[in-house]
Amino acid sequence: MSDEILFQKIVCNDAQRLDSFLARFLGEVLPGASRSGIATAIKAGLVSVNKKAVLKPAHKLKINDEVLVKKSRIPNENSRISSENSRIPNELFEKIKIIYEDDDILVISKPSGLVVHEASSLKGESTLVDFLKQSNRQLATLGGEFRAGIVHRLDRYTSGVMVVAKSDFASARLSSQLQQKTASRIYIALCDLPLKQNCVVERAIGRCENNRLKKAVYPLGKNGAKYAKSAFCNIFLDEVQNPQNSPKKNTPNIIAAKLFTGRTHQIRVHLSSINRHILGDVLYGFKGSCDIIRVFLHGYILELKHPRTGQMMSFCAPLEDDFAALIGVDTRTLNEKLTKNFVLSCFEPNNQWLCLS
């Protein structure tokens, strides 16, 4: 089990609502744990009952139900990042890998679990911005103090490659590339099922009506839905799949995803819309083992023009150890098989791709 699991086993001794039970229990051992923070954790898929994820704070518990909380810190109603508190060392900082750096940009591989920048729902968390400030690097200020250097982001439990702007000039140029969709981003995901066929999904994404933490597919304009486009393809590796290009039993399915737009949770939403779910992504419908404690989505390739020279640059963040462990191979073998050129070749123009809208 991961260190992020706060309590492995909490047994309910009275029939009551899940959020009420956790508020009472956590209030005794974690003073200041807020009711709203507990509700947020439940809706984010960080709480399970009898080994099944539960997303409703009002879920009715029965006597002897076992509750698992997959969160190292329930948001505290009094917590707030200050310049002093944000300098508390974070063990995740040690896992940040520097891929490239010059006077204008810093390219890193972000570990799973690290928040990119402060948000109202994540008060008190150490962030990537804290790490950048602690390293005494010059950072762009166009995004403000709490987003210094940040021009794009990865979800907390998504790992992988990110570019950071070290100057306002670089920040403006990089942001323009992202807005104009001239920068290319490719992700690797482990999914519960393989794709029936490589496909391009063009479906607008807006706010979910039933869960404010989620996004969902809607007609363009409904609930603020904006145009979104993603491409998905199966990846079959000899080390983990058989020569007939059919995954071995119980082996996670490797899927590559290319973004043409950058909506929040876009890959997760589009995969869910075709009944495919990333391992660990209970927020978007994964119903597998509760032992999987992260969303297995990794930013693998980032291609962009250097903001000052205009030179096209391509960066790759090798997959992390937990990917290889779940697949059942060593990390070195996995990254030797899953090369950048191989993944890029998967998205070469092909008329056989299925288009879904």
Side-chain angles (χ1 to χ4, degrees), residues 188 235-241 254 300 316 318-319 327 329-346:
I188 299 295
I235 290 182
F236 301 107
L237 303 178
D238 292 341
E239 295 292 334
V240 294
Q241 271 105 358
I254 307 172
Y300 192 58
C316 180
L319 292 172
I327 294 171
V329 297
D330 64 86
T331 307
R332 180 177 178 180
T333 297
L334 178 60
N335 284 307
E336 285 178 349
K337 300 290 292 186
L338 199 67
T339 65
K340 180 174 71 172
N341 289 338
F342 171 75
V343 174
L344 288 172
S345 70
C346 294

PDB file of all heavy atoms in Angstrom, residues 188 235-241 254 300 316 318-319 327 329-346:
ATOM      1  N   ILE A 188       0.711   8.485 -22.262  1.00  0.00           N
ATOM      2  CA  ILE A 188       0.586   7.033 -22.170  1.00  0.00           C
ATOM      3  C   ILE A 188      -0.336   6.728 -20.994  1.00  0.00           C
ATOM      4  O   ILE A 188      -0.182   7.290 -19.904  1.00  0.00           O
ATOM      5  CB  ILE A 188       1.945   6.345 -21.946  1.00  0.00           C
ATOM      6  CG1 ILE A 188       2.887   6.641 -23.116  1.00  0.00           C
ATOM      7  CG2 ILE A 188       1.758   4.837 -21.774  1.00  0.00           C
ATOM      8  CD1 ILE A 188       2.438   6.063 -24.445  1.00  0.00           C
ATOM      9  N   ILE A 235      -1.265   0.234 -28.008  1.00  0.00           N
ATOM     10  CA  ILE A 235       0.157  -0.063 -28.143  1.00  0.00           C
ATOM     11  C   ILE A 235       0.385  -1.481 -27.664  1.00  0.00           C
ATOM     12  O   ILE A 235       0.017  -1.835 -26.535  1.00  0.00           O
ATOM     13  CB  ILE A 235       1.026   0.922 -27.330  1.00  0.00           C
ATOM     14  CG1 ILE A 235       0.979   2.314 -27.981  1.00  0.00           C
ATOM     15  CG2 ILE A 235       2.451   0.430 -27.225  1.00  0.00           C
ATOM     16  CD1 ILE A 235       1.842   3.338 -27.290  1.00  0.00           C
ATOM     17  N   PHE A 236       0.962  -2.315 -28.512  1.00  0.00           N
ATOM     18  CA  PHE A 236       1.246  -3.704 -28.165  1.00  0.00           C
ATOM     19  C   PHE A 236       2.757  -3.904 -28.120  1.00  0.00           C
ATOM     20  O   PHE A 236       3.456  -3.645 -29.096  1.00  0.00           O
ATOM     21  CB  PHE A 236       0.621  -4.649 -29.191  1.00  0.00           C
ATOM     22  CG  PHE A 236      -0.859  -4.517 -29.304  1.00  0.00           C
ATOM     23  CD1 PHE A 236      -1.441  -3.905 -30.403  1.00  0.00           C
ATOM     24  CD2 PHE A 236      -1.688  -4.979 -28.293  1.00  0.00           C
ATOM     25  CE1 PHE A 236      -2.821  -3.770 -30.503  1.00  0.00           C
ATOM     26  CE2 PHE A 236      -3.064  -4.849 -28.383  1.00  0.00           C
ATOM     27  CZ  PHE A 236      -3.627  -4.253 -29.491  1.00  0.00           C
ATOM     28  N   LEU A 237       3.259  -4.344 -26.978  1.00  0.00           N
ATOM     29  CA  LEU A 237       4.685  -4.570 -26.789  1.00  0.00           C
ATOM     30  C   LEU A 237       4.963  -6.053 -26.614  1.00  0.00           C
ATOM     31  O   LEU A 237       4.255  -6.738 -25.872  1.00  0.00           O
ATOM     32  CB  LEU A 237       5.200  -3.792 -25.574  1.00  0.00           C
ATOM     33  CG  LEU A 237       4.966  -2.269 -25.606  1.00  0.00           C
ATOM     34  CD1 LEU A 237       5.478  -1.638 -24.326  1.00  0.00           C
ATOM     35  CD2 LEU A 237       5.671  -1.660 -26.800  1.00  0.00           C
ATOM     36  N   ASP A 238       5.999  -6.553 -27.264  1.00  0.00           N
ATOM     37  CA  ASP A 238       6.313  -7.978 -27.197  1.00  0.00           C
ATOM     38  C   ASP A 238       6.548  -8.460 -25.776  1.00  0.00           C
ATOM     39  O   ASP A 238       6.270  -9.608 -25.436  1.00  0.00           O
ATOM     40  CB  ASP A 238       7.556  -8.289 -28.043  1.00  0.00           C
ATOM     41  CG  ASP A 238       7.287  -8.108 -29.531  1.00  0.00           C
ATOM     42  OD1 ASP A 238       6.099  -8.112 -29.908  1.00  0.00           O
ATOM     43  OD2 ASP A 238       8.254  -7.945 -30.297  1.00  0.00           O
ATOM     44  N   GLU A 239       7.068  -7.574 -24.925  1.00  0.00           N
ATOM     45  CA  GLU A 239       7.411  -7.990 -23.570  1.00  0.00           C
ATOM     46  C   GLU A 239       6.167  -8.281 -22.723  1.00  0.00           C
ATOM     47  O   GLU A 239       6.225  -9.031 -21.757  1.00  0.00           O
ATOM     48  CB  GLU A 239       8.242  -6.908 -22.867  1.00  0.00           C
ATOM     49  CG  GLU A 239       9.607  -6.674 -23.503  1.00  0.00           C
ATOM     50  CD  GLU A 239      10.528  -7.869 -23.326  1.00  0.00           C
ATOM     51  OE1 GLU A 239      10.352  -8.633 -22.361  1.00  0.00           O
ATOM     52  OE2 GLU A 239      11.433  -8.046 -24.153  1.00  0.00           O
ATOM     53  N   VAL A 240       5.044  -7.680 -23.082  1.00  0.00           N
ATOM     54  CA  VAL A 240       3.859  -7.825 -22.237  1.00  0.00           C
ATOM     55  C   VAL A 240       2.636  -8.318 -22.992  1.00  0.00           C
ATOM     56  O   VAL A 240       1.629  -8.646 -22.382  1.00  0.00           O
ATOM     57  CB  VAL A 240       3.512  -6.493 -21.536  1.00  0.00           C
ATOM     58  CG1 VAL A 240       4.587  -6.119 -20.552  1.00  0.00           C
ATOM     59  CG2 VAL A 240       3.319  -5.381 -22.558  1.00  0.00           C
ATOM     60  N   GLN A 241       2.702  -8.368 -24.331  1.00  0.00           N
ATOM     61  CA  GLN A 241       1.588  -8.871 -25.118  1.00  0.00           C
ATOM     62  C   GLN A 241       2.080  -9.945 -26.072  1.00  0.00           C
ATOM     63  O   GLN A 241       3.263  -9.976 -26.424  1.00  0.00           O
ATOM     64  CB  GLN A 241       0.913  -7.738 -25.904  1.00  0.00           C
ATOM     65  CG  GLN A 241      -0.184  -7.056 -25.112  1.00  0.00           C
ATOM     66  CD  GLN A 241       0.222  -5.698 -24.591  1.00  0.00           C
ATOM     67  OE1 GLN A 241       1.332  -5.276 -24.781  1.00  0.00           O
ATOM     68  NE2 GLN A 241      -0.685  -5.047 -23.893  1.00  0.00           N
ATOM     69  N   ILE A 254      -2.115  -0.895 -22.772  1.00  0.00           N
ATOM     70  CA  ILE A 254      -1.366   0.349 -22.961  1.00  0.00           C
ATOM     71  C   ILE A 254      -1.996   1.125 -24.107  1.00  0.00           C
ATOM     72  O   ILE A 254      -2.130   0.612 -25.222  1.00  0.00           O
ATOM     73  CB  ILE A 254       0.113   0.065 -23.261  1.00  0.00           C
ATOM     74  CG1 ILE A 254       0.723  -0.849 -22.196  1.00  0.00           C
ATOM     75  CG2 ILE A 254       0.890   1.370 -23.353  1.00  0.00           C
ATOM     76  CD1 ILE A 254       2.118  -1.324 -22.532  1.00  0.00           C
ATOM     77  N   TYR A 300       3.965  11.833 -21.807  1.00  0.00           N
ATOM     78  CA  TYR A 300       5.159  11.159 -22.322  1.00  0.00           C
ATOM     79  C   TYR A 300       6.007  12.033 -23.248  1.00  0.00           C
ATOM     80  O   TYR A 300       7.220  12.073 -23.127  1.00  0.00           O
ATOM     81  CB  TYR A 300       4.731   9.885 -23.057  1.00  0.00           C
ATOM     82  CG  TYR A 300       5.870   8.947 -23.381  1.00  0.00           C
ATOM     83  CD1 TYR A 300       6.676   8.429 -22.369  1.00  0.00           C
ATOM     84  CD2 TYR A 300       6.134   8.587 -24.694  1.00  0.00           C
ATOM     85  CE1 TYR A 300       7.723   7.568 -22.659  1.00  0.00           C
ATOM     86  CE2 TYR A 300       7.184   7.722 -24.990  1.00  0.00           C
ATOM     87  CZ  TYR A 300       7.961   7.218 -23.970  1.00  0.00           C
ATOM     88  OH  TYR A 300       9.012   6.372 -24.265  1.00  0.00           O
ATOM     89  N   CYS A 316      10.943  13.987 -23.910  1.00  0.00           N
ATOM     90  CA  CYS A 316      10.284  12.742 -23.522  1.00  0.00           C
ATOM     91  C   CYS A 316      10.570  12.454 -22.053  1.00  0.00           C
ATOM     92  O   CYS A 316      11.722  12.554 -21.609  1.00  0.00           O
ATOM     93  CB  CYS A 316      10.784  11.593 -24.398  1.00  0.00           C
ATOM     94  SG  CYS A 316      10.054   9.990 -24.015  1.00  0.00           S
ATOM     95  N   PRO A 318      10.491   9.449 -19.521  1.00  0.00           N
ATOM     96  CA  PRO A 318      10.329   7.986 -19.405  1.00  0.00           C
ATOM     97  C   PRO A 318       9.263   7.627 -18.377  1.00  0.00           C
ATOM     98  O   PRO A 318       9.021   8.362 -17.417  1.00  0.00           O
ATOM     99  CB  PRO A 318      11.722   7.524 -18.961  1.00  0.00           C
ATOM    100  CG  PRO A 318      12.658   8.584 -19.468  1.00  0.00           C
ATOM    101  CD  PRO A 318      11.892   9.866 -19.334  1.00  0.00           C
ATOM    102  N   LEU A 319       8.623   6.494 -18.596  1.00  0.00           N
ATOM    103  CA  LEU A 319       7.591   6.032 -17.676  1.00  0.00           C
ATOM    104  C   LEU A 319       8.173   5.741 -16.302  1.00  0.00           C
ATOM    105  O   LEU A 319       9.340   5.331 -16.171  1.00  0.00           O
ATOM    106  CB  LEU A 319       6.919   4.783 -18.232  1.00  0.00           C
ATOM    107  CG  LEU A 319       6.074   5.009 -19.489  1.00  0.00           C
ATOM    108  CD1 LEU A 319       5.625   3.679 -20.069  1.00  0.00           C
ATOM    109  CD2 LEU A 319       4.866   5.874 -19.177  1.00  0.00           C
ATOM    110  N   ILE A 327       2.583  -3.433 -15.159  1.00  0.00           N
ATOM    111  CA  ILE A 327       2.604  -4.210 -16.392  1.00  0.00           C
ATOM    112  C   ILE A 327       3.306  -5.548 -16.183  1.00  0.00           C
ATOM    113  O   ILE A 327       2.965  -6.554 -16.802  1.00  0.00           O
ATOM    114  CB  ILE A 327       3.298  -3.407 -17.514  1.00  0.00           C
ATOM    115  CG1 ILE A 327       2.453  -2.172 -17.865  1.00  0.00           C
ATOM    116  CG2 ILE A 327       3.511  -4.253 -18.763  1.00  0.00           C
ATOM    117  CD1 ILE A 327       3.149  -1.205 -18.789  1.00  0.00           C
ATOM    118  N   VAL A 329       6.967  -5.789 -15.981  1.00  0.00           N
ATOM    119  CA  VAL A 329       8.323  -5.808 -16.540  1.00  0.00           C
ATOM    120  C   VAL A 329       9.166  -4.795 -15.767  1.00  0.00           C
ATOM    121  O   VAL A 329       8.631  -3.972 -15.023  1.00  0.00           O
ATOM    122  CB  VAL A 329       8.332  -5.450 -18.039  1.00  0.00           C
ATOM    123  CG1 VAL A 329       7.563  -6.481 -18.850  1.00  0.00           C
ATOM    124  CG2 VAL A 329       7.761  -4.062 -18.269  1.00  0.00           C
ATOM    125  N   ASP A 330      10.486  -4.848 -15.941  1.00  0.00           N
ATOM    126  CA  ASP A 330      11.314  -3.857 -15.280  1.00  0.00           C
ATOM    127  C   ASP A 330      11.262  -2.546 -16.064  1.00  0.00           C
ATOM    128  O   ASP A 330      10.985  -2.518 -17.267  1.00  0.00           O
ATOM    129  CB  ASP A 330      12.760  -4.356 -15.131  1.00  0.00           C
ATOM    130  CG  ASP A 330      13.436  -4.566 -16.473  1.00  0.00           C
ATOM    131  OD1 ASP A 330      13.995  -3.595 -17.007  1.00  0.00           O
ATOM    132  OD2 ASP A 330      13.390  -5.711 -16.983  1.00  0.00           O
ATOM    133  N   THR A 331      11.519  -1.449 -15.372  1.00  0.00           N
ATOM    134  CA  THR A 331      11.369  -0.123 -15.956  1.00  0.00           C
ATOM    135  C   THR A 331      12.267   0.073 -17.173  1.00  0.00           C
ATOM    136  O   THR A 331      11.853   0.650 -18.185  1.00  0.00           O
ATOM    137  CB  THR A 331      11.679   0.963 -14.904  1.00  0.00           C
ATOM    138  OG1 THR A 331      10.884   0.730 -13.741  1.00  0.00           O
ATOM    139  CG2 THR A 331      11.381   2.348 -15.441  1.00  0.00           C
ATOM    140  N   ARG A 332      13.484  -0.411 -17.105  1.00  0.00           N
ATOM    141  CA  ARG A 332      14.416  -0.232 -18.214  1.00  0.00           C
ATOM    142  C   ARG A 332      13.904  -0.924 -19.474  1.00  0.00           C
ATOM    143  O   ARG A 332      13.940  -0.340 -20.565  1.00  0.00           O
ATOM    144  CB  ARG A 332      15.792  -0.783 -17.829  1.00  0.00           C
ATOM    145  CG  ARG A 332      16.833  -0.642 -18.932  1.00  0.00           C
ATOM    146  CD  ARG A 332      18.187  -1.136 -18.465  1.00  0.00           C
ATOM    147  NE  ARG A 332      19.172  -1.045 -19.526  1.00  0.00           N
ATOM    148  CZ  ARG A 332      20.447  -1.406 -19.394  1.00  0.00           C
ATOM    149  NH1 ARG A 332      20.883  -1.874 -18.221  1.00  0.00           N
ATOM    150  NH2 ARG A 332      21.279  -1.292 -20.406  1.00  0.00           N
ATOM    151  N   THR A 333      13.412  -2.148 -19.317  1.00  0.00           N
ATOM    152  CA  THR A 333      12.891  -2.881 -20.479  1.00  0.00           C
ATOM    153  C   THR A 333      11.710  -2.152 -21.088  1.00  0.00           C
ATOM    154  O   THR A 333      11.609  -2.016 -22.314  1.00  0.00           O
ATOM    155  CB  THR A 333      12.459  -4.298 -20.066  1.00  0.00           C
ATOM    156  OG1 THR A 333      13.605  -5.023 -19.595  1.00  0.00           O
ATOM    157  CG2 THR A 333      11.842  -5.047 -21.236  1.00  0.00           C
ATOM    158  N   LEU A 334      10.800  -1.660 -20.246  1.00  0.00           N
ATOM    159  CA  LEU A 334       9.625  -0.966 -20.739  1.00  0.00           C
ATOM    160  C   LEU A 334      10.009   0.267 -21.545  1.00  0.00           C
ATOM    161  O   LEU A 334       9.501   0.496 -22.653  1.00  0.00           O
ATOM    162  CB  LEU A 334       8.715  -0.571 -19.573  1.00  0.00           C
ATOM    163  CG  LEU A 334       7.447   0.205 -19.948  1.00  0.00           C
ATOM    164  CD1 LEU A 334       6.562  -0.608 -20.881  1.00  0.00           C
ATOM    165  CD2 LEU A 334       6.677   0.598 -18.699  1.00  0.00           C
ATOM    166  N   ASN A 335      10.920   1.070 -21.016  1.00  0.00           N
ATOM    167  CA  ASN A 335      11.292   2.306 -21.702  1.00  0.00           C
ATOM    168  C   ASN A 335      12.147   2.049 -22.941  1.00  0.00           C
ATOM    169  O   ASN A 335      12.160   2.862 -23.867  1.00  0.00           O
ATOM    170  CB  ASN A 335      12.011   3.249 -20.730  1.00  0.00           C
ATOM    171  CG  ASN A 335      11.049   3.926 -19.766  1.00  0.00           C
ATOM    172  OD1 ASN A 335      10.069   4.535 -20.186  1.00  0.00           O
ATOM    173  ND2 ASN A 335      11.311   3.813 -18.475  1.00  0.00           N
ATOM    174  N   GLU A 336      12.853   0.908 -22.977  1.00  0.00           N
ATOM    175  CA  GLU A 336      13.591   0.545 -24.186  1.00  0.00           C
ATOM    176  C   GLU A 336      12.641   0.142 -25.304  1.00  0.00           C
ATOM    177  O   GLU A 336      12.894   0.413 -26.483  1.00  0.00           O
ATOM    178  CB  GLU A 336      14.568  -0.603 -23.887  1.00  0.00           C
ATOM    179  CG  GLU A 336      15.798  -0.168 -23.109  1.00  0.00           C
ATOM    180  CD  GLU A 336      16.709  -1.339 -22.785  1.00  0.00           C
ATOM    181  OE1 GLU A 336      16.278  -2.498 -22.991  1.00  0.00           O
ATOM    182  OE2 GLU A 336      17.845  -1.106 -22.316  1.00  0.00           O
ATOM    183  N   LYS A 337      11.537  -0.500 -24.945  1.00  0.00           N
ATOM    184  CA  LYS A 337      10.564  -0.911 -25.955  1.00  0.00           C
ATOM    185  C   LYS A 337       9.676   0.257 -26.387  1.00  0.00           C
ATOM    186  O   LYS A 337       9.333   0.389 -27.555  1.00  0.00           O
ATOM    187  CB  LYS A 337       9.683  -2.039 -25.400  1.00  0.00           C
ATOM    188  CG  LYS A 337      10.441  -3.285 -24.982  1.00  0.00           C
ATOM    189  CD  LYS A 337      11.000  -4.031 -26.165  1.00  0.00           C
ATOM    190  CE  LYS A 337       9.922  -4.653 -27.012  1.00  0.00           C
ATOM    191  NZ  LYS A 337      10.484  -5.494 -28.097  1.00  0.00           N
ATOM    192  N   LEU A 338       9.323   1.098 -25.423  1.00  0.00           N
ATOM    193  CA  LEU A 338       8.397   2.194 -25.686  1.00  0.00           C
ATOM    194  C   LEU A 338       9.199   3.466 -25.962  1.00  0.00           C
ATOM    195  O   LEU A 338       9.252   4.377 -25.147  1.00  0.00           O
ATOM    196  CB  LEU A 338       7.467   2.389 -24.484  1.00  0.00           C
ATOM    197  CG  LEU A 338       6.169   3.155 -24.734  1.00  0.00           C
ATOM    198  CD1 LEU A 338       5.249   2.354 -25.644  1.00  0.00           C
ATOM    199  CD2 LEU A 338       5.459   3.434 -23.423  1.00  0.00           C
ATOM    200  N   THR A 339       9.824   3.542 -27.122  1.00  0.00           N
ATOM    201  CA  THR A 339      10.662   4.688 -27.455  1.00  0.00           C
ATOM    202  C   THR A 339       9.824   5.848 -27.972  1.00  0.00           C
ATOM    203  O   THR A 339       8.679   5.682 -28.406  1.00  0.00           O
ATOM    204  CB  THR A 339      11.686   4.304 -28.536  1.00  0.00           C
ATOM    205  OG1 THR A 339      10.984   3.985 -29.745  1.00  0.00           O
ATOM    206  CG2 THR A 339      12.525   3.111 -28.099  1.00  0.00           C
ATOM    207  N   LYS A 340      10.421   7.028 -27.931  1.00  0.00           N
ATOM    208  CA  LYS A 340       9.718   8.216 -28.409  1.00  0.00           C
ATOM    209  C   LYS A 340       9.345   8.084 -29.887  1.00  0.00           C
ATOM    210  O   LYS A 340       8.211   8.384 -30.283  1.00  0.00           O
ATOM    211  CB  LYS A 340      10.582   9.459 -28.192  1.00  0.00           C
ATOM    212  CG  LYS A 340       9.923  10.751 -28.658  1.00  0.00           C
ATOM    213  CD  LYS A 340      10.755  11.959 -28.281  1.00  0.00           C
ATOM    214  CE  LYS A 340      12.018  12.040 -29.102  1.00  0.00           C
ATOM    215  NZ  LYS A 340      12.747  13.308 -28.875  1.00  0.00           N
ATOM    216  N   ASN A 341      10.291   7.627 -30.717  1.00  0.00           N
ATOM    217  CA  ASN A 341      10.012   7.504 -32.147  1.00  0.00           C
ATOM    218  C   ASN A 341       8.907   6.487 -32.421  1.00  0.00           C
ATOM    219  O   ASN A 341       8.076   6.677 -33.316  1.00  0.00           O
ATOM    220  CB  ASN A 341      11.286   7.116 -32.902  1.00  0.00           C
ATOM    221  CG  ASN A 341      12.283   8.256 -32.961  1.00  0.00           C
ATOM    222  OD1 ASN A 341      11.917   9.425 -32.824  1.00  0.00           O
ATOM    223  ND2 ASN A 341      13.551   7.930 -33.152  1.00  0.00           N
ATOM    224  N   PHE A 342       8.894   5.415 -31.639  1.00  0.00           N
ATOM    225  CA  PHE A 342       7.850   4.409 -31.818  1.00  0.00           C
ATOM    226  C   PHE A 342       6.471   4.995 -31.512  1.00  0.00           C
ATOM    227  O   PHE A 342       5.515   4.807 -32.274  1.00  0.00           O
ATOM    228  CB  PHE A 342       8.122   3.198 -30.920  1.00  0.00           C
ATOM    229  CG  PHE A 342       6.990   2.213 -30.872  1.00  0.00           C
ATOM    230  CD1 PHE A 342       6.735   1.363 -31.937  1.00  0.00           C
ATOM    231  CD2 PHE A 342       6.161   2.141 -29.767  1.00  0.00           C
ATOM    232  CE1 PHE A 342       5.681   0.460 -31.898  1.00  0.00           C
ATOM    233  CE2 PHE A 342       5.102   1.245 -29.711  1.00  0.00           C
ATOM    234  CZ  PHE A 342       4.868   0.401 -30.783  1.00  0.00           C
ATOM    235  N   VAL A 343       6.377   5.725 -30.429  1.00  0.00           N
ATOM    236  CA  VAL A 343       5.082   6.308 -30.041  1.00  0.00           C
ATOM    237  C   VAL A 343       4.649   7.358 -31.062  1.00  0.00           C
ATOM    238  O   VAL A 343       3.481   7.417 -31.459  1.00  0.00           O
ATOM    239  CB  VAL A 343       5.154   6.905 -28.624  1.00  0.00           C
ATOM    240  CG1 VAL A 343       3.865   7.647 -28.284  1.00  0.00           C
ATOM    241  CG2 VAL A 343       5.411   5.804 -27.597  1.00  0.00           C
ATOM    242  N   LEU A 344       5.578   8.193 -31.516  1.00  0.00           N
ATOM    243  CA  LEU A 344       5.232   9.199 -32.521  1.00  0.00           C
ATOM    244  C   LEU A 344       4.726   8.551 -33.801  1.00  0.00           C
ATOM    245  O   LEU A 344       3.790   9.054 -34.447  1.00  0.00           O
ATOM    246  CB  LEU A 344       6.454  10.077 -32.820  1.00  0.00           C
ATOM    247  CG  LEU A 344       6.866  11.073 -31.732  1.00  0.00           C
ATOM    248  CD1 LEU A 344       8.194  11.721 -32.076  1.00  0.00           C
ATOM    249  CD2 LEU A 344       5.794  12.145 -31.543  1.00  0.00           C
ATOM    250  N   SER A 345       5.336   7.419 -34.169  1.00  0.00           N
ATOM    251  CA  SER A 345       4.928   6.731 -35.404  1.00  0.00           C
ATOM    252  C   SER A 345       3.495   6.206 -35.317  1.00  0.00           C
ATOM    253  O   SER A 345       2.842   6.012 -36.341  1.00  0.00           O
ATOM    254  CB  SER A 345       5.895   5.585 -35.722  1.00  0.00           C
ATOM    255  OG  SER A 345       5.744   4.516 -34.790  1.00  0.00           O
ATOM    256  N   CYS A 346       3.021   5.976 -34.106  1.00  0.00           N
ATOM    257  CA  CYS A 346       1.656   5.472 -33.938  1.00  0.00           C
ATOM    258  C   CYS A 346       0.612   6.481 -34.400  1.00  0.00           C
ATOM    259  O   CYS A 346      -0.533   6.108 -34.683  1.00  0.00           O
ATOM    260  CB  CYS A 346       1.404   5.114 -32.470  1.00  0.00           C
ATOM    261  SG  CYS A 346       2.380   3.736 -31.852  1.00  0.00           S
TER     262      CYS A 346
END
